[in-house]
Amino acid sequence: SGAPAAEWGGFEDNMQGGGSAVIDMENMDDTSGSSFEDMGEMHQRMKEEEEEEAEGEAGAGEEEDGEFLGMKGLRGQLGRQVADQMWQGGKRQASRAFSLYANIDILRPYFDVEPVQVRARLLESMIPVKMINFPQKIAGELYGPLMLVFTLVAILLHGMKTSDTIIREGTLMGTAIGTCFGYWLGVSSFMYFLAYLCNAQITMVQMLSLLGYGLFGHCITLFVTYNIHFHSLFYIFWLVVGGLSTLRMVAVLVSRTVGHTQRLILCGTLASLHMLFLLYLHFAYHKVVEGILDTLEGPNMPPFQRVARDIPVVSNAVLNTTAKAIALTL
């Protein structure tokens, strides 16, 4: 009984020891569980922190992109505003320029003239001035010169009809208008440039008016000589009528030019061009136009027509003799 008691005591000790061991294992299991839970929580927190950092970086990137796009949009708006302002400014300038040149009030002073004044200036264009010590007055209007140019065009067309010139493919009004207006505008521009070089006190409008009224002598000469075909009559009108209108223009230019050399160059050039233009209109204009028409349209060939042939006299005699012989034999 003693042995079993000892054994039982040992067993109790073992059980106690085992119980402590079991308790220790339980404590270890609890410790290990808490450590695992702590590791999981730490891992979860780290993951959450990484996600928060990633979200923060994404938000910052979006904010930076928004700022960039905002700056870009602002620049685009500024560019559009500048372009719109430039377009509006150019549009206003263009409309102002168009209204400036399209306004009839600008041209009204150059055509606001009475018929009595035009008639007086036409007569004055044939009377040379005597006083050249002070600048002579020049009419600054274009109504009279423009009407004289159109009158010269009509006279040239009339001369083409009276000279038996064959007009093909319409009229020659375009050629006449080009010739007259080309001389008026071209020579006026050239003389104004030459007057500027010679220091003559004259404007472009005054030069156009002076040369335009100078064509009055040309109109009279050509109108008379186109209807009365005598070369001697033309030369008389060329010297008298054309010479008077040319002297009028020369005297006006001399009164507005300082210096003998400048006067000689300016007046000699104007007189030569004006008198030679009258010779060209009378002698060479029609031939030149006919040559141009022949070059553009070909020579004027008459249409093919059937013409009855004339029987020669010898054949008539032979036929008569043969008829008589046949009648005698019958």
Side-chain angles (χ1 to χ4, degrees):
S1 60
E7 291 178 0
W8 180 253
F11 178 76
E12 289 180 353
D13 294 335
N14 290 331
M15 287 298 290
Q16 291 176 355
S20 64
V22 171
I23 294 169
D24 292 337
M25 288 298 292
E26 290 177 356
N27 293 332
M28 286 180 64
D29 292 339
D30 294 339
T31 305
S32 62
S34 62
S35 63
F36 284 132
E37 290 176 359
D38 293 338
M39 290 296 293
E41 290 177 358
M42 291 176 62
H43 182 71
Q44 185 68 24
R45 289 176 183 175
M46 291 175 64
K47 190 174 181 180
E48 291 177 355
E49 290 177 357
E50 290 179 357
E51 290 179 356
E52 290 177 356
E53 291 178 357
E55 291 177 358
E57 291 179 357
E62 290 178 358
E63 290 178 357
E64 292 179 357
D65 294 338
E67 292 177 357
F68 176 73
L69 291 175
M71 292 295 295
K72 189 174 181 181
L74 182 60
R75 291 178 182 175
Q77 291 178 359
L78 290 176
R80 286 194 294 270
Q81 288 179 0
V82 172
D84 292 338
Q85 290 179 0
M86 293 177 63
W87 170 257
Q88 293 297 332
K91 187 177 180 180
R92 284 194 298 269
Q93 292 180 359
S95 62
R96 190 181 300 112
F98 180 77
S99 62
L100 178 64
Y101 288 102
N103 195 355
I104 194 63
D105 292 335
I106 298 175
L107 300 177
R108 184 175 297 173
Y110 302 112
F111 295 91
D112 188 9
V113 61
E114 297 294 333
V116 178
Q117 295 177 348
V118 175
R119 183 180 60 187
R121 288 166 184 170
L122 289 174
L123 296 177
E124 290 176 356
S125 65
M126 302 297 298
I127 302 174
V129 296
K130 298 180 180 179
M131 297 182 182
I132 59 175
N133 296 326
F134 59 92
Q136 296 293 322
K137 184 178 179 181
I138 302 176
E141 54 94 6
L142 299 177
Y143 175 78
L146 188 64
M147 293 299 104
L148 283 173
V149 173
F150 280 116
T151 303
L152 186 60
V153 170
I155 292 173
L156 289 179
L157 295 177
H158 174 69
M160 295 293 288
K161 294 180 180 180
T162 57
S163 62
D164 297 332
T165 301
I166 299 174
I167 301 175
R168 300 182 298 273
E169 301 295 335
T171 63
L172 300 176
M173 185 175 292
T175 306
I177 290 175
T179 302
C180 297
F181 276 92
Y183 171 78
W184 182 43
L185 299 176
V187 175
S188 296
S189 301
F190 175 72
M191 293 305 302
Y192 174 72
F193 175 72
L194 194 61
Y196 176 78
L197 296 179
C198 296
N199 198 18
Q201 303 298 323
I202 191 170
T203 63
M204 184 63 187
V205 177
Q206 290 176 342
M207 181 61 72
L208 287 170
S209 179
L210 183 65
L211 188 63
Y213 277 110
L215 293 174
F216 181 59
H218 287 38
C219 293
I220 295 175
T221 303
L222 293 176
F223 181 74
V224 174
T225 56
Y226 279 164
N227 294 283
I228 304 175
H229 301 282
F230 291 107
H231 291 297
S232 58
L233 181 64
F234 168 75
Y235 285 119
I236 293 173
F237 273 82
W238 179 68
L239 290 174
V240 176
V241 181
L244 288 175
S245 62
T246 304
L247 286 177
R248 168 73 182 188
M249 294 189 297
V250 168
V252 172
L253 286 180
V254 167
S255 66
R256 289 176 170 266
T257 309
V258 178
H260 296 286
T261 305
Q262 290 84 351
R263 289 177 176 178
L264 182 61
I265 294 173
L266 188 62
C267 299
T269 304
L270 180 60
S272 301
L273 292 175
H274 202 63
M275 298 297 287
L276 290 176
F277 181 64
L278 184 56
L279 288 174
Y280 166 76
L281 292 179
H282 183 78
F283 290 105
Y285 173 73
H286 298 165
K287 296 180 180 179
V288 170
V289 172
E290 289 179 356
I292 293 173
L293 290 176
D294 291 338
T295 302
L296 296 177
E297 302 175 3
N300 187 22
M301 298 297 294
F304 178 76
Q305 297 178 354
R306 292 181 176 273
V307 181
R309 294 183 180 181
D310 295 332
I311 299 176
V313 179
V314 178
S315 61
N316 289 334
V318 172
L319 289 175
N320 293 331
T321 305
T322 305
K324 290 180 181 180
I326 292 172
L328 292 172
T329 54
L330 292 175

